[in-house]
Amino acid sequence: MSEIAKALTTIRNAAPDARPRVGMILGSGLGSLADAVEGVSIPYAELAGFPHAGVSGHTAALTLGTLEGVEVAVLGGREHYYENGRADAMRLPLEVLRELGCDTLLITNACGSFRADIPPGNLMLINDHINYSGRSPLIGESTDARFVNLTEAYDPTLRAALLAAAEAEGEPLLEGVYAWYSGPNFETPAEIRMLKMLGADAVGMSTVPEVILARFLGLTVGAVSVVTNMAAGLGNENISHEHTKASAPVGAEKLGRIIRRYLVGLE
Ligand code: HPA
């Protein structure tokens, strides 16, 4: 049996009737949304082919259930490229989400902002990205489906719905370009000045490979960043993973309300 078939069998045993429409990936310190889902949680360790997400601040479990009456599948943790050098580490989990019925994927992450009008504690709706790491999760894929069009990778209709949900919640939500920097070290101030000149508004260590994979799989994608710090050289916080984990919950609370409001609108 293939890994994906094994994972699906485990999921079907735990949640025979689950038919999620919306999938989510939760970033560092953003796991609280999974707790709000009424349903079952399956640790990645029990799911064949799932990553053993080793980064603190992530809960490595797939949660299936309902949130605001909508069936969802929440990936509580991700494997980052910087863990094992695998840009396609999230391919199998995303294939599983699609097999279960998801047609939409909401991705969340923590980021460093370049913009004074999107300060720490605020959110940024990603409207485009710069793959500064230069790695594609589709290297080695041999079908013509690998030539993925990323012109509107961050779906305009979904973005409009998320903006409307933010407005309804009274939360500012500005759009911007996310640059993927491989990590795990943070960037230098010179690198941030360069990324800013290239047209980025924020930087982080995830999301981009997942967006590419999700578009490859035909999923509609939306992504929101929680700003945990001003990027290197732009603020006076001491940038660290501890700081990211400690700061993420401020934005996570806002993001949770926006996602819930968006889900209410789907019914
Ligand atoms: N850089 C990269 N990734 C991040 C940052 C940052 O400043 N903050 C949170 N994740």
Side-chain angles (χ1 to χ4, degrees):
M1 215 191 319
S2 66
E3 297 262 271
I4 186 163
K6 280 189 213 159
L8 285 166
T9 303
T10 308
I11 292 166
R12 282 286 160 241
N13 286 337
D17 302 321
R19 283 272 167 277
R21 292 168 62 187
V22 177
M24 296 181 211
I25 302 178
L26 304 182
S28 298
L30 306 175
S32 53
L33 204 57
D35 302 334
V37 175
E38 290 166 38
V40 297
S41 258
I42 311 167
Y44 287 179
E46 292 173 20
L47 292 167
F50 271 57
H52 294 285
V55 179
S56 58
H58 289 257
T59 311
L62 167 66
T63 303
L64 294 160
T66 55
L67 190 58
E68 303 297 343
V70 177
E71 281 208 54
V72 297
V74 181
L75 293 166
R78 55 162 57 97
E79 182 174 321
H80 303 77
Y81 171 66
Y82 61 71
E83 291 174 62
N84 297 297
R86 289 179 51 210
D88 66 348
M90 294 304 287
R91 178 166 173 163
L92 186 135
L94 291 176
E95 285 173 337
V96 163
L97 259 48
R98 191 188 58 170
E99 286 300 312
L100 291 172
C102 291
D103 58 19
T104 299
L105 180 69
L106 293 178
I107 303 177
T108 68
N109 62 43
C111 77
S113 172
F114 305 171
R115 298 230 327 235
D117 60 344
I118 315 181
N122 278 40
L123 308 174
M124 185 183 91
L125 179 63
I126 302 178
N127 61 11
D128 206 345
H129 73 227
I130 295 174
N131 182 352
Y132 190 70
S133 294
R135 309 295 306 184
S136 172
L138 297 176
I139 288 174
E141 168 64 32
S142 56
T143 67
D144 278 358
R146 65 187 158 183
F147 301 110
V148 180
N149 181 337
L150 295 176
T151 311
E152 287 190 331
Y154 301 83
D155 186 70
T157 307
L158 178 49
R159 269 161 42 209
L162 290 167
L163 288 171
E167 189 167 356
E169 284 297 320
E171 290 300 340
L173 184 61
L174 296 176
E175 295 190 84
V177 174
Y178 175 94
W180 175 34
Y181 184 88
S182 78
N185 54 286
F186 287 97
E187 306 75 28
T188 65
E191 285 164 343
I192 296 302
R193 288 194 297 276
M194 173 196 66
L195 291 172
K196 205 172 163 181
M197 277 198 305
L198 293 179
D201 298 291
V203 64
M205 304 179 192
S206 67
T207 300
V208 167
E210 296 152 10
V211 171
I212 296 170
L213 287 166
R215 292 304 302 137
F216 168 70
L217 296 171
L219 300 171
T220 299
V221 175
V224 184
S225 291
V226 167
V227 177
T228 54
N229 55 280
M230 293 309 288
L234 301 179
N236 40 30
E237 300 119 306
N238 182 12
I239 297 170
S240 68
H241 188 55
E242 290 311 311
H243 180 76
T244 299
K245 285 189 293 181
S247 315
V250 181
E253 189 275 328
K254 299 175 184 177
L255 180 55
R257 280 191 284 111
I258 291 170
I259 289 178
R260 293 170 84 133
R261 179 73 74 136
Y262 159 75
L263 293 173
V264 169
L266 284 186
E267 284 200 280

